[in-house]
Amino acid sequence: MGLQAIFFYLFAFIAVASAFMVISAKNPVHSVLFLILVFFNAAGLFLLTGAEFLAMILLVVYIGAVAVLFLFVVMMLDIDFAELRSGVLQYAPIGMLVGLIVAAELVVVIGGSVLTPEAAKAITMPIPNPATRTNTAALGDVLYTNYVYFFQIAGLVLLVAMIGAIVLTLRHRTNIKRQDVSKQVARTPATAVEVVKVKPGQGV
Amino acid sequence: MDSFFSIYVWPGIVMVAQSLLLLVCLLVFIAYVLLADRKIWAAVQLRRGPNVVGPFGLFQSFADLLKFVFKEPIIPAGANKAVFLLAPLVAVLLALSTWAVVPLADGWVIANINVGILYIFAISSLEVYGIIMGGWASNSKYPFLGALRSAAQMVSYEVSIGFVIVTVLLCVGSLNLTDIVNAQHDGLGTMMGLPASFLDWHWLALFPMFVVFFISALAETNRPPFDLPEAESELVAGFMVEYGSSPYMMFMLGEYAAVCLMCALTTILFLGGWLPPVDIWILNWVPGIVWFMLKSMLVFFMFAMVKAFVPRYRYDQLMRLGWKIFLPLSLAMVVITAFVLKLMGWA
């Protein structure tokens, strides 16, 4: 267990420290980079608990896609750092309140499982033995059989959100030229070239 | 104390030694891959290529390495120093770390993990960070444009690569890279009653996906004809404009490590990994690593030839190919493959 504990504290410490840096870094781009470090360490923690599939999906989805978009937006924005800092004291009480609520909820959850350890046995889905059944297969079984409708609905919700974003930003400009590859390929000399016999001294 | 040694220290030493051996072999191999790239390019254009340092120019890459290392690194005054230096490190470390799960022959793998293919996919989706960070930290127009281009490009082609990998996984039923190769022992050829041969590998059964994967791999690694991020005629050198000496070399090293990885991945997914082309004793006697290297080098030869004779894509063409052709095609193939496997009872 020793090595696992060392890695747990390593990942947890870096995650918490870089989470602190996310909110305290002066430059927003540095904040996003620290956020990526948080995700990375969270993936490490997932690996330690044996949730290898979730760890990799966290890397692919959150770091490979979501954080790239974050970084894009933050880099493109023209941000006045001083102005960004000015409201800190004003918003601090609200932030502290939110933090307190989250901390209280954590205490309730952890305290509950400490006081009544038998509650964990009430989980309706049996957890398969990781030695015989891989993470990926177990998750797939649950997602695509027991919860297939919820899965489909989640997909539909995302689709609606995507269509909404496209509708909001789509605009048809009339006076621009677009390339139509099939049209270009279908062009023949007969349709593209007009041969004109020009008589001397007359022009076309 | 004795058990502490046998549980932690000795396996640790073995692991470090294995990793070092793989890294050294890989770096030497990359040096020659770089030379081969230049030589093939030169041969296509009827030039000699690098031929001065060593016999046939064999030591050219090492001379280049020394040149880069001894040059003075220049950091632009307006650059974000930490991120500027971190970017090439990220690029090269990520590209090299993917090799931990690549099986070079049966059992020749440092980390034989269950989700090997996902690991490679995840880490190669992170490689875009080296480029974005480098482009942004340079605090200059061309690098930033190059970084934006490349980020959009890599994210686009990852989608189709993901779906291609899914089709292969459907046929295999495992995310482990060793299992993926072993599953190619029998396939289309043995189903037709032939002995085990190269016809069993996935390239034949999933031929459209093989082509899509090869082209997406070119785009993912920013190789010509998709080298828009560093298009020298438009962006000078893209995200690398402000880089020189060792940081620049690290970007190049990362790029070629990623190219080699894509060659290895094509070999594993579609060309049967370390399996011999025909199952007869004399070919089985040849070590698996030799077949793996030969196949990877064949794929790299294709990479180099494409670089030599395909003109560069325009940016909108690149996006069109990725989103309007490859994405629907690979998505359709996922559905078709799943249906065929289910209906024929092969899954």
Side-chain angles (χ1 to χ4, degrees):
Chain A
M1 275 321 271
L3 216 54
Q4 246 188 350
I6 292 172
F7 276 109
F8 171 77
Y9 285 115
L10 182 76
F11 288 139
F13 175 74
I14 298 177
V16 172
S18 42
F20 180 74
M21 289 305 290
V22 172
I23 52 171
S24 63
K26 286 226 167 61
N27 191 330
V29 173
H30 291 176
S31 287
V32 177
L33 292 176
F34 276 114
L35 185 67
I36 292 163
L37 196 58
V38 176
F39 285 147
F40 220 97
N41 284 288
L45 289 175
F46 267 131
L47 270 185
L48 280 185
T49 57
E52 50 194 17
F53 184 75
L54 282 183
M56 293 305 150
I57 290 299
L58 187 78
L59 285 187
V60 174
V61 175
Y62 280 88
I63 310 187
V66 175
V68 172
L69 292 182
F70 270 11
L71 208 54
F72 250 27
V73 172
V74 171
M75 279 178 182
M76 306 275 257
L77 291 179
D78 185 23
I79 300 170
D80 184 358
F81 301 140
E83 195 186 340
L84 211 66
R85 293 274 119 197
S86 63
V88 168
L89 280 180
Q90 193 185 341
Y91 298 124
I94 303 175
M96 281 197 341
L97 187 70
V98 173
L100 250 158
I101 292 173
V102 173
E105 283 174 349
L106 270 179
V107 167
V108 169
V109 170
I110 295 169
S113 69
V114 168
L115 291 178
T116 54
E118 61 268 18
K121 294 198 186 79
I123 299 170
T124 45
M125 278 301 290
I127 299 167
N129 180 11
T132 54
R133 191 140 181 69
T134 63
N135 269 232
T136 322
L139 270 175
D141 269 354
V142 175
L143 262 189
Y144 295 116
T145 51
N146 300 30
Y147 297 104
V148 64
Y149 295 117
F150 298 96
F151 185 75
Q152 296 280 356
I153 289 170
L156 274 181
V157 170
L158 286 178
L159 183 68
V160 169
M162 193 178 83
I163 293 174
I166 292 173
V167 167
L168 282 177
T169 53
L170 185 69
R171 54 190 176 129
H172 287 287
R173 285 190 292 174
T174 45
N175 52 358
I176 53 164
K177 282 188 174 175
R178 286 192 194 281
Q179 187 183 20
D180 186 349
V181 174
S182 53
K183 222 176 188 175
Q184 288 180 331
V185 173
R187 252 160 72 110
T188 58
T191 58
V193 184
E194 189 189 355
V195 182
V196 182
K197 274 237 160 72
V198 185
K199 280 182 184 160
Q202 286 186 347
V204 182
Chain B
M1 204 58 209
D2 204 33
S3 69
F4 176 79
F5 182 81
S6 64
I7 292 173
Y8 294 126
V9 180
W10 182 241
I13 293 172
V14 169
M15 208 166 13
V16 169
Q18 281 176 335
S19 309
L20 275 181
L21 182 70
L22 178 72
L23 271 182
V24 170
C25 292
L26 185 67
L27 289 177
V28 172
F29 193 68
I30 287 174
Y32 283 102
V33 157
L34 227 158
L35 181 74
D37 198 22
R38 294 170 71 176
K39 279 283 192 190
I40 293 168
W41 202 9
V44 171
Q45 297 174 344
L46 299 179
R47 292 184 285 116
R48 283 178 188 277
N51 64 348
V52 175
V53 188
F56 309 106
L58 278 178
F59 302 135
Q60 179 66 44
S61 299
F62 301 102
D64 286 343
L65 172 85
L66 288 180
K67 187 189 79 177
F68 279 128
V69 170
F70 288 122
K71 264 188 174 178
E72 181 193 0
I74 295 172
I75 302 173
N80 197 315
K81 229 177 237 171
V83 181
F84 186 81
L85 291 177
L86 199 62
L89 263 179
V90 165
V92 74
L93 281 183
L94 286 175
L96 291 177
S97 64
T98 38
W99 281 87
V101 298
V102 175
L104 301 172
D106 204 3
W108 287 30
V109 50
I110 291 177
N112 190 14
I113 59 176
N114 278 335
V115 287
I117 189 80
L118 261 182
Y119 172 81
I120 288 188
F121 187 62
I123 299 293
S124 63
S125 75
L126 301 189
E127 272 161 26
V128 65
Y129 281 112
I131 294 175
I132 305 187
M133 283 160 71
W136 176 80
S138 300
N139 197 9
S140 162
K141 287 191 188 69
Y142 284 140
F144 191 59
L145 283 175
L148 289 185
R149 274 188 174 192
S150 103
Q153 173 180 338
M154 290 173 96
V155 170
S156 311
Y157 279 85
E158 238 152 56
V159 183
S160 53
I161 284 194
F163 280 122
V164 172
I165 290 176
V166 169
T167 46
V168 174
L169 295 183
L170 280 174
C171 299
V172 176
S174 166
L175 275 71
N176 184 307
L177 289 167
T178 308
D179 288 351
I180 291 174
V181 174
N182 282 332
Q184 298 179 59
H185 266 302
D186 42 17
L188 219 55
T190 46
M191 240 170 244
M192 290 186 294
L194 297 167
S197 69
F198 62 95
L199 295 175
D200 298 328
W201 304 341
H202 287 142
W203 69 269
L204 188 60
L206 300 169
F207 189 72
M209 290 296 94
F210 178 49
V211 176
V212 169
F213 187 82
F214 181 74
I215 300 174
S216 301
L218 290 175
E220 175 80 6
T221 50
N222 294 330
R223 286 280 294 186
F226 304 108
D227 58 342
L228 275 303
E230 43 197 292
E232 69 270 13
S233 48
E234 309 153 26
L235 290 177
V236 195
F239 61 93
M240 294 196 242
V241 173
E242 306 289 352
Y243 282 91
S245 80
S246 304
Y248 173 79
M249 186 200 66
M250 280 192 195
F251 267 129
M252 289 303 282
L253 183 62
E255 207 164 279
Y256 274 89
V259 168
C260 289
L261 179 85
M262 277 299 169
C263 296
L265 205 56
T266 315
T267 308
I268 289 169
L269 290 177
F270 292 102
L271 299 178
W274 59 81
L275 303 175
V278 184
D279 192 15
I280 54 174
W281 68 269
I282 186 132
L283 295 185
N284 284 337
W285 176 78
V286 176
I289 178 97
V290 174
W291 292 121
F292 186 84
M293 299 266 278
L294 278 177
K295 290 172 188 174
S296 303
M297 282 192 268
L298 178 77
V299 179
F300 181 76
F301 180 69
M302 291 306 297
F303 266 63
M305 289 302 273
V306 167
K307 175 178 179 169
F309 58 58
V310 181
R312 184 178 292 136
Y313 260 53
R314 217 173 52 213
Y315 198 68
D316 62 314
Q317 292 172 330
L318 172 97
M319 283 294 151
R320 178 176 165 274
L321 185 70
W323 289 107
K324 292 190 180 171
I325 299 175
F326 281 179
L327 180 61
L329 184 67
S330 49
L331 199 55
M333 273 302 280
V334 170
V335 178
I336 292 171
T337 313
F339 263 101
V340 168
L341 287 175
K342 192 72 194 166
L343 290 180
M344 305 298 279
W346 292 336

